[in-house]
Structures are given as structure tokens and as C-alpha cells.
Amino acid sequence: MKSHSESYRAAGVDITAGYRAVELMKQHVARTMTPGVLEGLGGFGGLFELDLTGMTRPVLVSGTDGVGTKLKIAFELDKHDTVGIDCVAMCANDVVCCGAKPLFFLDYIACGKNVPERIAAIVSGVAEGCVQADCALIGGETAEMPGFYPEDEYDLAGFVVGAVDKSRLFNRMHMRAGDVVLALPSSGVHSNGFSLVRKVLPDRSLYVEELGATLGEALLVPTKIYVKPVLALAERIEIKGASHITGGGFYENVPRCLPSGLSARIEKKAVRTPPIFDVIQKAGNVPERDMFNTFNMGVGMCLIVDREDVDTALSVVKDAYVLGELVKGDGGIELCE
């Protein structure tokens, strides 16, 4: 590569570092290649050929998100190979809530200083997330922005495009009172609520016995990706709706998949809450209502299924469990003792 600019480098942007980062990340990107990918990295656009086999009315479903202030924990631990999983998860888990299979993903990294090894570590996590979501990483952008970000910090965001036949979209209009709400367990805090987390847990180097790790290590556990189990279940039964439990917790996200006239009645004692949430609540004296309105509380995704399909669902998605049921209501959520 002959491209080089001493003047630009003196201003804080080393374009040769960008080329080095691309070379280092290629081995990770290669893990994500699926049959639809037409070209590798380096072009002006990522090319993906749609396989519409079995689809009569294909619908594209897209989602975009970032990792948020969880990145501050990665900076503190100088561990950058898992936040990419979070980035993919936040996007892929959203599109699968429609019944769509993620097809391809692109990321965007903005940094104060391009350290090729660090950028490659970030992309290794993105690639791992894509493998877990069964989609291809077909492109991205790394922007070196001196003076805008500190040298040791960066931001990470991305987007995914998925596809589903219109007849296979999850349809809330099929929901009825008596349908069952299933919980898919989270791996921890996932990627939401970290502004509150960082406020109430300022010493992330503290080792906590019940967590078996430091606070920082427990908080950095990546977001669980639900694509494969949800789509596997959709091949067996009708999933009437799905909610990705992200920022806003139960109160904001569960109602997003409900039709008017129905509410979700959740048995609070049924929620399997990991210890990290107890640590957060006690440290910050956070009211229970705020905990359920901020965090996933151990439930990363909810699925709405017919009562007759519960046994099949639990046999297909081994770690799922019954969380509650739908009742006539105003489209909200009832957390019952």
C-alpha cells in the first residue's frame, strides 16, 4: 500500500495504522463468511446476494444500535474482544423479534487513536457475535478522530439486515388471553443501564464472592444472542410475539409486542434473577420498580406462545421457562407478587 501522508499523521491521523488494522481483522471476518457474500473487505459497499428460496413475499428487517457506556468498563479492564458481541447482539436480537434471520452486519468504530491491535480485538468480538447470530460481517468503518475522542477510548455501533417471508412474521394479532409468556435467560446486565451501574458501582475492581469475579469482569460479560434458538423454535411452533428486554426493562419492552386489549401478567417470583442485579440494587438502594424498569433482571428475551405449545417450546429451547401469561388489559405489564 503506497498511500501515506506525513501531514495527516502529524495532525493525529495515521492512515497506515488503518491499513494494518484491516490486515489484522481479516482473519476474524473470514469466520463470518456465508454463501451470500460476494466480495471481501475493501470495497465501497458490502455485497450480499439474497437467497429467496422458500420466500414468496420477502420482507427485509433492519436494526441498529451501539454498546453504550458499557464501553467504559472495557476501557478500565483494557479488554476489547467482547464488546463486539454486545454490538451484534443488540441489533440481531431486535430483528429476530420479528421472526427475521439476520443476513449481514456492518460495524462503525470511532476512536481517538487507531491502535491496530485494539481495533482488531474489537472486530474479533464483532465476528464472534456474527458467528453466534449466523450472519456475515461484510464491511465496516474505522474513523480515527483525534481531539474528538481521548486516545484510549472509542465508540462502537453497527447495524444488521435480516429477511423473513411475510407469512412468517410474528403476528401479535394472533395473541389471545391465556397465551403464555416464556423467558429466555440473560447472561447478566447485557448492554443497558450502565450509566446507573457505573454510578452505584464506582469501584469495578472489587472482587465479589457471590459473583466469583470482580465487578468489572461480571459487568463485561457479553450480551446473549438469541437468534438460533428463536428461529429453531419458530420452525416447530408459532411464536406470536417476542420482546428483546433492553433499556427500559420489562415495563418498556414487553408491551412493545402486545396488541391493544391485552396485557402481560408476570409472576415476579418466577423471574430467575442473577446475583449481579442484587448487588446493583443494594449498592445503589435502587427501588424494585426502577430495577424492573431499567434492567433485564435476568430475562434477555420474552416469547409469547400458545399454551398448547409450551411443552414443545421448553423442549426446543432448553433454558427457557414460564414467566407469566396474557390477560385482558390495556396493553401494559402487570408484575404480580
Side-chain angles (χ1 to χ4, degrees):
M1 179 67 70
K2 295 182 179 180
S3 177
H4 178 71
S5 171
E6 285 295 337
S7 298
Y8 208 8
R9 184 172 184 175
V13 178
D14 184 357
I15 56 177
T16 59
Y19 304 144
R20 170 65 175 156
V22 170
E23 287 303 314
L24 291 175
M25 69 178 68
K26 281 183 177 178
Q27 60 178 315
H28 305 299
V29 175
R31 298 179 56 214
T32 76
M33 293 297 98
T34 60
V37 180
L38 297 185
E39 288 188 3
L41 300 181
F44 287 98
L47 304 182
F48 191 91
E49 182 178 13
L50 283 173
D51 180 0
L52 301 180
T53 304
M55 295 189 191
T56 57
R57 300 181 67 186
V59 176
L60 295 180
V61 183
S62 59
T64 185
D65 210 337
V67 182
T69 62
K70 181 175 184 175
L71 291 174
K72 289 284 191 180
I73 314 295
F75 303 157
E76 291 172 10
L77 272 63
D78 194 22
K79 181 174 173 55
H80 311 283
D81 59 350
T82 60
V83 290
I85 301 174
D86 292 292
C87 191
V88 175
M90 297 306 292
C91 301
N93 286 342
D94 278 356
V95 301
V96 82
C97 284
C98 300
K101 181 193 182 304
L103 299 175
F104 58 83
F105 186 86
L106 283 83
D107 61 14
Y108 174 77
I109 305 168
C111 58
K113 181 177 177 60
N114 187 332
V115 179
E117 292 75 16
R118 184 166 62 206
I119 298 300
I122 297 168
V123 174
S124 75
V126 175
E128 174 58 28
C130 287
V131 169
Q132 292 182 24
D134 197 21
C135 66
L137 177 56
I138 64 170
E141 170 70 9
T142 301
E144 191 171 19
M145 301 169 64
F148 196 91
Y149 292 95
E151 285 195 358
D152 293 330
E153 296 191 2
Y154 54 85
D155 197 9
L156 173 61
F159 77 90
V160 70
V161 173
V164 60
D165 191 78
K166 191 172 183 178
S167 66
R168 301 296 298 274
L169 284 166
F170 298 164
N171 192 342
R172 74 182 70 193
M173 303 314 297
H174 292 180
M175 294 182 190
R176 301 289 183 268
D179 285 344
V180 174
V181 182
L182 298 180
L184 275 58
S186 71
S187 56
V189 183
H190 282 184
S191 300
N192 301 102
F194 273 82
S195 294
L196 177 56
V197 168
R198 291 184 302 109
K199 179 182 178 182
V200 303
L201 300 177
D203 183 6
R204 268 82 72 175
S205 65
L206 181 67
Y207 184 86
V208 180
E209 192 68 38
E210 57 261 46
L211 301 178
T214 66
L215 287 173
E217 291 168 341
L219 292 170
L220 204 56
V221 172
T223 305
K224 192 170 181 179
I225 295 177
Y226 300 100
V227 171
K228 291 179 181 178
V230 170
L231 293 181
L233 182 59
E235 290 294 322
R236 296 284 302 277
I237 67 169
E238 180 188 12
I239 298 175
K240 300 183 180 184
S243 289
H244 183 200
I245 311 302
T246 56
F250 280 56
Y251 284 97
E252 181 175 323
N253 291 291
V254 175
R256 292 172 66 181
C257 79
L258 301 179
S260 60
L262 290 176
S263 294
R265 179 176 292 160
I266 305 298
E267 300 295 333
K268 214 168 1 180
K269 63 183 179 182
V271 180
R272 301 173 186 175
T273 303
I276 185 62
F277 296 103
D278 295 328
V279 172
I280 294 169
Q281 184 172 12
K282 291 174 182 176
N285 194 27
V286 182
E288 182 181 72
R289 174 63 163 73
D290 288 356
M291 292 294 294
F292 277 92
N293 209 157
T294 305
F295 302 108
N296 67 62
M297 298 302 286
V299 180
M301 184 168 286
C302 291
L303 303 178
I304 312 296
V305 303
D306 192 283
R307 188 170 294 276
E308 294 184 358
D309 290 327
V310 169
D311 287 344
T312 299
L314 297 182
S315 69
V316 174
V317 187
K318 302 298 185 182
D319 58 352
Y321 62 92
V322 175
L323 194 61
E325 64 177 351
L326 298 190
V327 297
K328 291 182 178 179
D330 60 2
I333 181 171
E334 304 172 15
L335 276 174
C336 305
E337 296 294 341

